Structure formats: structure tokens, C-alpha cells
């Protein structure tokens, strides 16, 4: 149950924080006299490129080479890797750190039939460059036929392990997880001959977490068991560690609406509910070793985040209602909620098209993210302190310049889409990590909603969360501090090209006194750095 609001009064950094109108407001700290000397930010360069207008194609060379910091993770599960197989490792020089199994090349990166490959064959992908997403179909379809994966209400009937009456049955969670064991063999590089995981990351995407209240304990038991069983088949070997988590459960999901109430929401019950034996769970094979443990005890990461709906892309409508769709408030708020609830690593799915939903122009995933949205996603997301992301698409291989399909249902999707949004996303990654990758060394501090801004020339200062910025229709700014370095991203979402917006940012902590002014043009994604 979500709390409608939290009445709280506290002092944060000299600012009085109170709650009214069901959201936490930050009262401005007034400065008497002149603003202290300001320090100009050095703006981050932009790459000059012409976005593609070809259907079914995106240009990976709109930016030059750069790499993701070792402290971060970005998995490519997008469309069109086949366009660049002659330069097969280019994605690792475009900010990605791993490739999803479904985007790998048979017999060069993953074995289709190891017996048909030369003795001693090894994948050209290293362990750290490999990731796997396990969907609902792995459990629901044959040979395991676990109906619970598609219908969570069947949790009380689902077997953890083979039953004593039918020890050969594979219609159980244990057997489905065991089928994932020894995946290193598909890459020809099992460490020390040990059959272990061949992937540095495993993402579960079962999407059956909702269930009747009376069956919650059964669901918590199954989720705790399957994540623990996966941990057992992916032990740390020879310095290798497989990060395991999933799209659900997460500590809290706001579905991208960036509502005020979500900032006071409790932790999702399925994320933390301890396993307990029920009237039938022991007969269905639940082991006592997981009693008292929860899903979050075994998961390495969770995946707070949201896909865009078309209204997130619409510059013609207002976005400042409490539950109004707002691309940047949605991106930031999902992380801001979850920072409060858990210290688990955060990995979000990124998709630069709209997902289908009950909104205008959302019948099909045919709308690309506008340039500032695609670029901004690749910049602002990393200002939240998130560990990683999965760049995803509902299409795998692309064939450029195909004629428009005769079937209306196929128009505007797949090969019939424009993929310039990929180029803008790459541009955002390049601007951030090519020029500021040194700041992401594990010592950086993410200010998030503690980023302090003034909108009246320095007379009053505010620390606003994403919802508060959205409903006030204010420019967004977020900062990262590392030693004497400060990096600031700022934008005025949905601004018209001719619009000009000004704001000030300050950092007055840890012996620093830093003030600067940022001038924004239209909806540009501003990125600037200074020595404090």
C-alpha cells in the first residue's frame, strides 16, 4: 500500500524541507548580498553529424572511439548489430561493455554445436563481454512446461524440485535452472575445466510477479528459490563473478509517471518477503536452506526503470501534472525512488522507441525518441549513480532501405522505422564518457535531488526531486562531484528551439564554495565541467 504523503520537517544542508500538497517541498535558502564569485563551466564538445534518414539503418560512426568506465555496465541488446559484423568489436568502442546472447554470432562468439568446431575453439568475446537474458518462455515452454511462468496464480501448484513420486520429472524450477548450468562450454573457456556460467550478467525477464494477496508467500518462495538456484549454478570461479538479477521484482516501480506519492512508497513486498514453508511447499521440494531469505538477499542487482510512451515524446502537450508523462522526470524519478529503498546495484532497460500502451499514437512501437530525449537518456541516467543499463529493442537484425510493407500492421516497425535515435543515444554516451570517463572511478558523488539550483539569479536556492521540477516546469540540472571536479548536466525539457532558459547551480559542501550560471538554448542537453 502506498502512503499518500509523508509529513516531515528536517534540515538538509541548511535548507528547511517540509511537505505540503502531498509532495516534499524545499524552502529556498535566501542569500543576503551579492552572489559569491562564479566559476564558468567548460562545455563538453558535440559531434557534428547529419542524422540518418534511411529506414532500417543507423550509423555507428557519428562519433569516434571511446570506452565505458570499468565501474559501469552497458549491454547491447538493440537492433542492427548485423550491420557492423565486419567491424565486429565496434560496439565496445561505442560505449558498450557486453553483448546479449541473442545478438551474438554463431560459431564466432557462441557455439551452435561445439562438436562441429575445431578442437580448442574459443569465443572472441571475453567473459565480461557476454550477457544473457532469460525470458518467461524458458520456463513456460517445453521441455519444462512450467505454467506458473505465464500465470502466477499457479504458484501454489508449482514444484521447486522433482517430487519423490516422480523423480524424473523436469516440470519444476530446479530443472529449468539446471538447464542454464555450464554455459561456459558454449564459449570454449570454462575456467579450470569447471562447468560454470559463461556470462558476466544474467537478466531474468519472467514478468509474472503480480499475484493475489493470499498467495504472496507462495510467490515469494518461488522467486527466492529460482534466484538462489541460479546463484548455485553460477559460482565464482577463477576470478569470474556472474551478476544476477531481473526486471522484477524491484524495490519500487513508478511506471515512469514521476508522481510525488511514489517518493514515499514502501518497498515492493516481493523484493524483501522472506521465504517460509507453507502447507504444501515442502512436498513440492522447497528446501529449508532458503527459509528466512528473500529474493533481494540473492540478487546482485535490480532493474528500476521504465520504457517511454508516446506522450513522453510529444512537445505539443503540457507535461507538468503530478502524474503527467515527462521523459526526463520519468528517467530520474525511477532511480530517485529506489536509492532510498535499497543499496542494490541498479540496471535499467533503455529503449529509444515508444512502447505500446493506452495513449495516442501508441498502438505500435513506431515513434523514435526525439533527439534531445535519446541523447538526454544517455547522459542524465548516469547522473543517478546507476551501475548499468541494457540498450534494448524489439527487433534484432536490420535490412536497410526496404520498401514500405503492404501490411499496415508492419508499417512503421522493424525495418520500416528510422533509427537516427540510436545515433543521438551514441552521441550522448560519447559526450559523457569520452570526455569525462575519468570521473567515474568509484570515488564520485552523485548529488541527484540534492543538486542545488537557483532560478532567480541566486536570491533563493532549491533542492528539487524530479517530480518537483516537473510540476513547476523548471529546467533540470544534476551534478556529479569527484574531488575538486564538478560535472553538471542541464536541460529545459520540451523547450522550443528559440526559447532561452537560465539557471544557477551551486555546491557548498566539503570545504567547497562553487557557483555557476548555465544558459540553455531550446531543449539542448548541456554538459559542462569545472574545477572547484
Amino acid at each position: 500500500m502506498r502512503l499518500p504523503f509523508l509529513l516531515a520537517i528536517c534540515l538538509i544542508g541548511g535548507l528547511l524541507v517540509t511537505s505540503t500538497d502531498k509532495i516534499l517541498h524545499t524552502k529556498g535558502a535566501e542569500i543576503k548580498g551579492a552572489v559569491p564569485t562564479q566559476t564558468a563551466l567548460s562545455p563538453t564538445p558535440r559531434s557534428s553529424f547529419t542524422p540518418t534518414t534511411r529506414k532500417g539503418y543507423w550509423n555507428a560512426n557519428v562519433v569516434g572511439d571511446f570506452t565505458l568506465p570499468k565501474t559501469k555496465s552497458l549491454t547491447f541488446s538493440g537492433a542492427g548489430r548485423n550491420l557492423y559484423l565486419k567491424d565486429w568489436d565496434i560496439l565496445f568502442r561505442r560505449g558498450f561493455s557486453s553483448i546479449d546472447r541473442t545478438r551474438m554470432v554463431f560459431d564466432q562468439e557462441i557455439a551452435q554445436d561445439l562438436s562441429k568446431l575445431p578442437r580448442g575453439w574459443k569465443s572472441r568475446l571475453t567473459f565480461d563481454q557476454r550477457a544473457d537474458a532469460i525470458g518467461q518462455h524458458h520456463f513456460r515452454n517445453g521441455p519444462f512446461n512450467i505454467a506458473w511462468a505465464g500465470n502466477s496464480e499457479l504458484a501454489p501448484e508449482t514444484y521447486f524440485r522433482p517430487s519423490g513420486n516422480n523423480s524424473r520429472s523436469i516440470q519444476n524450477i530446479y530443472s529449468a535452472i539446471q538447464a542454464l548450468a555450464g554455459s561456459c562450454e558454449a564459449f570454449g573457456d570454462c575456467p579450470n575445466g569447471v562447468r560454470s556460467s559463461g556470462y558476466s550478467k544474467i537478466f531474468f525477464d519472467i514478468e509474472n510477479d503480480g499475484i493475489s494477496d493470499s498467495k504472496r508467500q507462495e510467490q515469494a518462495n518461488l522467486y527466492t528459490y529460482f534466484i538462489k538456484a541460479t546463484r548455485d549454478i553460477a559460482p565464482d570461479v577463477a576470478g569470474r563473478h556472474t551478476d544476477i538479477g531481473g526486471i522484477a521484482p524491484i524495490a519500487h516501480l513508478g511506471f515512469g509517471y514521476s508522481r510525488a506519492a511514489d517518493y514515499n512508497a514502501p518497498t515492493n513486498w516481493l523484493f524483501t518477503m522472506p521465504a517460509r514453508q507453507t502447507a504444501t511447499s515442502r512436498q513440492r521440494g522447497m528446501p529449508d536452506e532458503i527459509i528466512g531469505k528473500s529474493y533481494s538477499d540473492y540478487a546482485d542487482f535490480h532493474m528500476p526503470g521504465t520504457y517511454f510512451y508516446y506522450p513522453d515524446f510529444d512537445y505539443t502537450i503540457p507535461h507538468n501534472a503530478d502524474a503527467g508523462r515527462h521523459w526526463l522526470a520519468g528517467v530520474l524519478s525511477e532511480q530517485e525512488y529506489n536509492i532510498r529503498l535499497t543499496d542494490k546495484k541498479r540496471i535499467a532497460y533503455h529503449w529509444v522507441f515508444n512502447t505500446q500502451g493506452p495513449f495516442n499514437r501508441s498502438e505500435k512501437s513506431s515513434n523514435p525518441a526525439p533527439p534531445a530525449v535519446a541523447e538526454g537518456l544517455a547522459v542524465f541516467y548516469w547522473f543517478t549513480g546507476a551501475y548499468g543499463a541494457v540498450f534494448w529493442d524489439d527487433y534484432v537484425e536490420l535490412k536497410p532501405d526496404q520498401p514500405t510493407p503492404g501490411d499496415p500492421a508492419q508499417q512503421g516497425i522493424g525495418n520500416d522505422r528510422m533509427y537516427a535515435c540510436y545515433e543521438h543515444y551514441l552521441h550522448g554516451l560519447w559526450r559523457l564518457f569520452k570526455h569525462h570517463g575519468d570521473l567515474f572511478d568509484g570515488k564520485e558523488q552523485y548529488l541527484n535531488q540534492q543538486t542545488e539550483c537557483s532560478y532567480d539569479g541566486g536570491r533563493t536556492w532549491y533542492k528539487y526531486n524530479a517530480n518537483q521540477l516537473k510540476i513547476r516546469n523548471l529546467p533540470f540540472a544534476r551534478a556529479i562531484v569527484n574531488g575538486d571536479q564538478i560535472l553538471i548536466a542541464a536541460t529545459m525539457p520540451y523547450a522550443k528551439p528559440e526559447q532561452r532558459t537560465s539557471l544557477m547551480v551551486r555546491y557548498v559542501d566539503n570545504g567547497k564554495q562553487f557557483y555557476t550560471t548555465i544558459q540553455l538554448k531550446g531543449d539542448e542537453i548541456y554538459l559542462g565541467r569545472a574545477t572547484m
Side-chain angles (χ1 to χ4, degrees):
M1 182 178 69
R2 292 186 179 132
L3 300 176
F5 67 96
L6 176 67
L7 181 61
I9 301 177
C10 61
L11 282 173
I12 301 178
L15 298 183
L16 180 64
V17 180
T18 63
S19 69
T20 58
D21 300 328
K22 300 185 180 181
I23 63 173
L24 293 179
H25 290 286
T26 306
K27 183 178 180 181
E30 187 170 352
I31 293 181
K32 295 181 179 180
V35 172
T37 302
Q38 296 190 49
T39 302
L41 294 166
S42 297
T44 303
R46 301 185 65 84
S47 176
S48 179
F49 65 94
T50 301
T52 185
T53 56
R54 298 172 62 187
K55 292 192 296 185
Y57 174 81
W58 53 275
N59 183 3
N61 293 305
V62 294
V63 297
D65 291 355
F66 69 101
T67 55
L68 193 73
K70 295 295 185 182
T71 57
K72 301 297 180 182
S73 169
L74 182 56
T75 298
F76 185 86
S77 188
R81 187 181 176 222
N82 60 295
L83 301 174
Y84 293 99
L85 292 182
K86 291 183 179 179
D87 191 7
W88 69 268
D89 63 348
I90 191 172
L91 292 180
F92 301 117
R93 294 181 276 112
R94 294 297 182 268
F96 296 94
S97 58
S98 56
I99 306 291
D100 179 72
R101 171 179 54 84
T102 59
R103 273 63 174 174
M104 293 180 187
V105 179
F106 281 129
D107 298 340
Q108 295 183 52
E109 296 167 348
I110 185 170
Q112 188 170 25
D113 184 347
L114 197 60
S115 67
K116 296 181 179 179
L117 294 175
R119 183 181 181 86
W121 174 89
K122 288 186 178 181
S123 170
R124 64 190 181 189
L125 299 178
T126 68
F127 175 77
D128 290 334
Q129 293 174 333
R130 307 189 299 246
D132 193 15
I134 309 298
Q136 181 188 110
H137 61 276
H138 173 77
F139 299 88
R140 179 170 50 86
N141 296 346
F144 308 110
N145 299 309
I146 302 171
W148 161 80
N151 180 4
S152 60
E153 296 297 327
L154 299 177
E157 306 168 24
T158 301
Y159 279 78
F160 297 81
R161 298 176 64 97
S163 67
N165 296 331
N166 190 1
S167 60
R168 294 184 179 181
S169 172
I170 61 172
Q171 195 174 354
N172 55 77
I173 302 296
Y174 173 82
S175 297
I177 296 298
Q178 284 295 307
L180 305 175
S183 56
C184 59
E185 294 178 340
F187 303 100
D189 62 356
C190 292
N192 304 324
V194 177
R195 292 183 73 252
S196 58
S197 172
Y199 300 100
S200 60
K201 289 165 286 293
I202 296 177
F203 311 104
F204 281 99
D205 187 7
I206 304 177
E207 300 187 35
N208 73 335
D209 44 307
I211 197 169
S212 302
D213 288 353
S214 62
K215 300 177 181 179
R216 282 186 170 188
Q217 188 62 67
E218 301 285 7
Q219 185 79 328
N221 291 348
L222 288 170
Y223 264 80
T224 302
Y225 178 73
F226 93 68
I227 200 76
K228 170 62 165 61
T230 308
R231 181 81 277 156
D232 290 343
I233 65 155
D236 293 358
V237 179
R240 292 181 173 186
H241 174 78
T242 299
D243 279 336
I244 302 169
I247 197 169
I250 62 174
H252 179 68
L253 177 60
F255 297 97
Y257 287 94
S258 54
R259 294 162 294 213
D262 285 299
Y263 282 88
N264 300 318
T267 304
N268 178 6
W269 64 271
L270 186 55
F271 193 65
T272 55
M273 180 180 247
R276 296 279 186 270
Q277 294 288 5
T278 65
T280 64
S281 59
R282 184 171 278 110
Q283 292 94 313
R284 290 180 286 116
M286 176 178 146
D288 286 339
E289 66 175 322
I290 67 170
I291 293 176
K293 298 290 186 179
S294 69
Y295 173 92
S296 64
D297 288 325
Y298 295 114
D300 293 286
F301 60 85
H302 69 141
M303 304 187 77
T306 183
Y307 291 145
F308 296 121
Y309 286 115
Y310 177 73
D312 294 302
F313 301 161
D314 192 346
Y315 278 53
T316 69
I317 62 173
H319 297 270
N320 60 346
D322 178 56
R325 299 298 305 185
H326 185 292
W327 79 263
L328 185 50
V331 169
L332 296 180
S333 63
E334 295 296 330
Q335 305 307 313
E336 291 173 356
Y337 309 148
N338 283 280
I339 291 169
R340 178 178 64 87
L341 297 174
T342 178
D343 60 1
K344 287 285 181 187
K345 292 190 291 188
R346 289 171 282 119
I347 299 176
Y349 274 92
H350 286 179
W351 190 17
V352 286
F353 289 92
N354 70 287
T355 191
Q356 294 170 292
F359 295 99
N360 180 39
R361 295 180 59 178
S362 296
E363 299 82 9
K364 295 186 290 185
S365 299
S366 56
N367 302 286
V373 176
E375 180 186 339
L377 173 62
V379 172
F380 273 93
Y381 173 75
W382 300 99
F383 274 71
T384 67
Y387 166 63
V390 179
F391 185 76
W392 184 84
D393 209 309
D394 62 352
Y395 221 64
V396 179
E397 294 191 352
L398 291 178
K399 295 180 180 179
D401 308 319
Q402 297 298 298
T404 299
D407 181 359
Q410 299 303 311
Q411 294 173 6
I413 62 174
N415 289 320
D416 202 43
R417 290 191 297 214
M418 300 275 192
Y419 286 83
C421 49
Y422 276 41
E423 300 168 357
H424 294 295
Y425 185 88
L426 289 179
H427 186 216
L429 293 176
W430 174 84
R431 294 187 69 210
L432 180 61
F433 293 121
K434 171 70 174 181
H435 301 90
H436 308 294
D438 60 304
L439 297 182
F440 298 86
D441 60 1
K443 300 177 183 178
E444 70 274 18
Q445 177 188 3
Y446 300 91
L447 301 191
N448 287 298
Q449 58 262 53
Q450 293 301 308
T451 303
E452 197 168 11
C453 299
S454 174
Y455 311 99
D456 58 8
R459 289 188 295 274
T460 52
W461 293 85
Y462 301 88
K463 296 178 180 180
Y464 281 149
N465 64 39
N467 170 272
Q468 293 166 333
L469 291 168
K470 176 184 74 169
I471 65 172
R472 289 166 172 79
N473 198 30
L474 291 170
F476 281 63
R478 288 295 181 257
I480 298 172
V481 171
N482 192 330
D484 64 359
Q485 298 296 297
I486 186 167
L487 181 66
I488 300 173
T491 190
M492 184 64 209
Y494 305 106
K496 296 179 180 179
E498 68 277 7
Q499 185 174 333
R500 298 294 180 264
T501 309
S502 176
L503 74 155
M504 295 184 68
V505 178
R506 75 175 182 180
Y507 179 76
V508 285
D509 203 356
N510 295 321
K512 303 292 191 301
Q513 181 172 275
F514 171 83
Y515 289 76
T516 196
T517 296
I518 299 171
Q519 304 287 348
L520 297 171
K521 300 176 182 179
D523 64 349
E524 71 167 315
I525 305 301
Y526 178 87
L527 192 60
R529 177 171 173 173
T531 299
M532 296 185 290

